Amino acid sequence: MQILKRIGIILVWLAGPVFVFAAVNKNDPYLIALRGPGNIVLAAASIIAVVVLIRRGYWRRGVAGRLLILLWCLPSLSMLGAHTSFEWRKRSVLQIGAAQARSLGRHFIVGYSSFPEVAVLAEKGLISGVYITRHNIAGSTAARLKEEISALQEKRRAAGLPPLIVAADQEGGIVSHLAPPLTKLPALSTLASLAVDVRAERAEAFGRTHGQELAALGVNMNLAPVLDLRPEMKRNRLDFNTLIRYRAISDDPAIVADIARAYVNGLEASGVGATVKHFPGLGRVRTDTHHFSADLDTPLEELEASDWLPFRKVLAGSKAQLMIGHVTLTSVDPDRAASHSKRVVDGIVRKKWNYQGVVMTDDLVMGAIYQRNVCTAVVEALNAGVDLLLVAFDGAQFYRIFTCAVAASAEGRLDAAMLGDSDMRLKGVFPRERQGPRYSTTSNTAAPGVLARPMTD
């Protein structure tokens, strides 16, 4: 019995630091499950532990007993401190002047769980778009989500702001975040073995189905299709969440380009924009950027001749936007991920390819960025010519990330010329009339105009 008591005390001592760590980091994306009811459970457990220890006389058992009680007081105090810090940062963001809010806010798309909270961000111009995923539809209906999106757009109109970009991940296959209630289509890879004309027809039909159903909800941007080449079966052993093998269309760049271009045509014909991803490509990397940094060591000549062909072909033949992933292109910029590398975004995409459309990052809440220096990534991305910063998985991180941009602006660390060019590109997201192409395959000089797809709200 005495041994069991000692084991119990040891476990209490070991559990204390774990609870303190969880409380201090309760706002971290990896601990998102602790939000709401989880916070209450954590606080209640620590208070109960303190009460039990005091009732069993540990306060009178000398220094060790008192230290144990104080240890279990820390989780509640730490949670209070973390919550206060979060609320202070949130209030600071919400109190930013209208001009600065709209100037910086046009560069952010944010995921959300609370409609009242995101409605304030939309109304103040602190964001340019919202990201819709499965938790926005769970326990609800398509009609209710449509009403919610419509209400957000009405607030934008009333505030004299451009319509919100409303983005979703509806690729088909395993990434069909709004199905149900939308139609669950198979992955585009299921079309790869069909005859050329048949697969193009089917891919466009897939795009029309997605486009029509998304447009009916009020979604005007689909973060699809995936243009990464399919990796070898055992290549990505540390791919826990990206699962690119199941999302990639094919390992043949020509097939990827043909199917993707037809799919994008179907989306655009329905009034929904496409965002091709994840340049410079995830098929060759061995780790999952949701959690780890990842290097792409392949020579540029090989990438241009294979992995990048689908990107160039689809961008040249459509009004699609481009998503930059958090992969480090080591031969170009070994010190930072492509998503915030000026050498990649401005040097390759803008100047070498002469792509003058909208470029957005993959989710900044991914471990490859967030667990390193997210503030540096935000500033470098904007200075590199990235137009939209995505904060999708955990929208609460928006306040921290936006604060990074505000601080950089106040300190003069944002490139005014780059922001000006970006503003021009973003003004074309909702053009009054359909305009000409914005991508040239014959010139390495910047095009004078920046165009984007027409979208409905």
Side-chain angles (χ1 to χ4, degrees), residues 23-66:
V24 169
N25 296 282
K26 79 180 193 71
N27 294 320
D28 189 275
Y30 277 101
L31 297 178
I32 195 170
L34 291 179
R35 311 258 175 91
N39 282 338
I40 297 173
V41 171
L42 188 64
S46 63
I47 292 171
I48 290 171
V50 170
V51 171
V52 170
L53 290 171
I54 291 175
R55 288 178 63 86
R56 293 195 175 185
Y58 277 83
W59 189 258
R60 299 188 299 273
R61 295 187 185 183
V63 176
R66 293 177 183 179

Side-chain angles (χ1 to χ4, degrees), residues 12-169:
V12 172
W13 273 104
L14 293 176
V18 174
F19 271 62
V20 173
F21 176 84
V24 169
N25 296 282
K26 79 180 193 71
N27 294 320
D28 189 275
Y30 277 101
L31 297 178
I32 195 170
L34 291 179
R35 311 258 175 91
N39 282 338
I40 297 173
V41 171
L42 188 64
S46 63
I47 292 171
I48 290 171
V50 170
V51 171
V52 170
L53 290 171
I54 291 175
R55 288 178 63 86
R56 293 195 175 185
Y58 277 83
W59 189 258
R60 299 188 299 273
R61 295 187 185 183
V63 176
R66 293 177 183 179
L67 285 177
L68 183 57
I69 292 173
L70 292 175
L71 173 63
W72 278 93
C73 289
L74 289 178
S76 296
L77 295 175
S78 299
M79 286 184 65
L80 179 61
H83 183 72
T84 301
S85 175
F86 173 81
E87 290 297 328
W88 178 85
R89 182 181 286 128
K90 176 179 175 180
R91 181 175 179 179
S92 298
V93 168
L94 295 179
Q95 289 182 338
I96 289 171
Q100 188 176 32
R102 296 184 179 195
S103 174
L104 294 175
R106 62 171 59 105
H107 299 287
F108 290 88
I109 295 180
V110 63
Y112 71 94
S113 298
S114 167
F115 174 79
E117 187 171 345
V118 79
V120 172
L121 300 180
E123 197 169 20
K124 288 178 175 288
L126 287 161
I127 57 174
S128 68
V130 294
Y131 169 78
I132 305 295
T133 189
R134 56 172 57 93
H135 70 253
N136 297 107
I137 201 76
S140 185
T141 63
R144 185 170 180 180
L145 179 58
K146 180 178 180 179
E147 291 174 1
E148 197 170 89
I149 294 171
S150 179
L152 289 174
Q153 297 291 24
E154 180 55 40
K155 287 181 180 294
R156 296 285 284 194
R157 281 189 287 268
L161 290 163
L164 283 172
I165 297 168
V166 184
D169 264 327

Side-chain angles (χ1 to χ4, degrees), residues 131-395:
Y131 169 78
I132 305 295
T133 189
R134 56 172 57 93
H135 70 253
N136 297 107
I137 201 76
S140 185
T141 63
R144 185 170 180 180
L145 179 58
K146 180 178 180 179
E147 291 174 1
E148 197 170 89
I149 294 171
S150 179
L152 289 174
Q153 297 291 24
E154 180 55 40
K155 287 181 180 294
R156 296 285 284 194
R157 281 189 287 268
L161 290 163
L164 283 172
I165 297 168
V166 184
D169 264 327
Q170 196 72 357
E171 300 171 8
I174 64 172
V175 179
S176 300
H177 292 167
L178 298 182
L182 303 190
T183 302
K184 178 71 178 288
L185 294 177
L188 288 172
S189 60
T190 59
L191 309 180
S193 61
L194 301 177
V196 175
D197 55 340
V198 176
R199 73 188 183 209
E201 181 181 350
R202 293 282 300 277
E204 184 167 350
F206 274 30
R208 285 183 181 274
T209 298
H210 276 162
Q212 290 167 2
E213 294 187 345
L214 290 171
L217 283 179
V219 175
N220 48 39
M221 179 193 293
N222 194 15
L223 304 184
V226 169
L227 300 189
D228 310 280
L229 297 189
R230 180 184 296 158
E232 300 170 8
M233 177 68 77
K234 297 182 179 180
R235 175 83 180 175
N236 292 4
R237 296 186 180 183
L238 295 179
D239 183 359
F240 302 121
N241 290 93
T242 302
L243 301 174
I244 207 65
R245 174 169 181 78
Y246 302 99
R247 299 163 62 194
I249 295 172
S250 171
D251 57 4
D252 184 331
I255 293 176
V256 174
D258 289 346
I259 291 177
R261 188 160 46 190
Y263 175 82
V264 169
N265 289 342
L267 275 180
E268 292 183 342
S270 306
V272 173
T275 301
V276 298
K277 58 190 185 184
H278 309 79
F279 180 79
L282 297 176
R284 296 176 186 264
V285 300
R286 293 182 179 273
T287 50
D288 184 349
T289 54
H290 285 84
H291 308 287
F292 314 104
S293 58
D295 292 337
L296 180 57
D297 301 321
T298 308
L300 289 187
E301 296 78 9
E302 187 174 347
L303 291 172
E304 286 279 10
S306 57
D307 300 56
W308 293 356
L309 282 177
F311 289 97
R312 300 197 71 168
K313 287 183 178 181
V314 175
L315 292 174
S318 70
K319 297 179 176 64
Q321 299 183 167
L322 176 65
M323 177 183 285
I324 307 283
H326 303 315
V327 174
T328 300
L329 191 58
T330 56
S331 61
V332 176
D333 191 346
D335 299 322
R336 55 187 54 80
S339 54
H340 55 105
S341 169
K342 189 170 184 176
R343 295 179 192 175
V344 175
V345 178
D346 189 55
I348 294 177
V349 176
R350 298 291 187 207
K351 291 188 169 65
K352 186 176 181 180
W353 291 9
N354 194 38
Y355 174 71
Q356 300 306 316
V358 171
V359 171
M360 70 185 300
T361 68
D362 205 343
D363 190 358
L364 292 178
V365 183
M366 292 171 125
I369 297 296
Y370 191 85
Q371 300 302 331
R372 303 183 77 181
N373 193 331
V374 69
C375 274
T376 297
V378 167
V379 175
E380 290 184 347
L382 292 173
N383 288 342
V386 173
D387 304 298
L388 294 171
L389 308 181
L390 180 63
V391 186
F393 171 70
D394 183 5

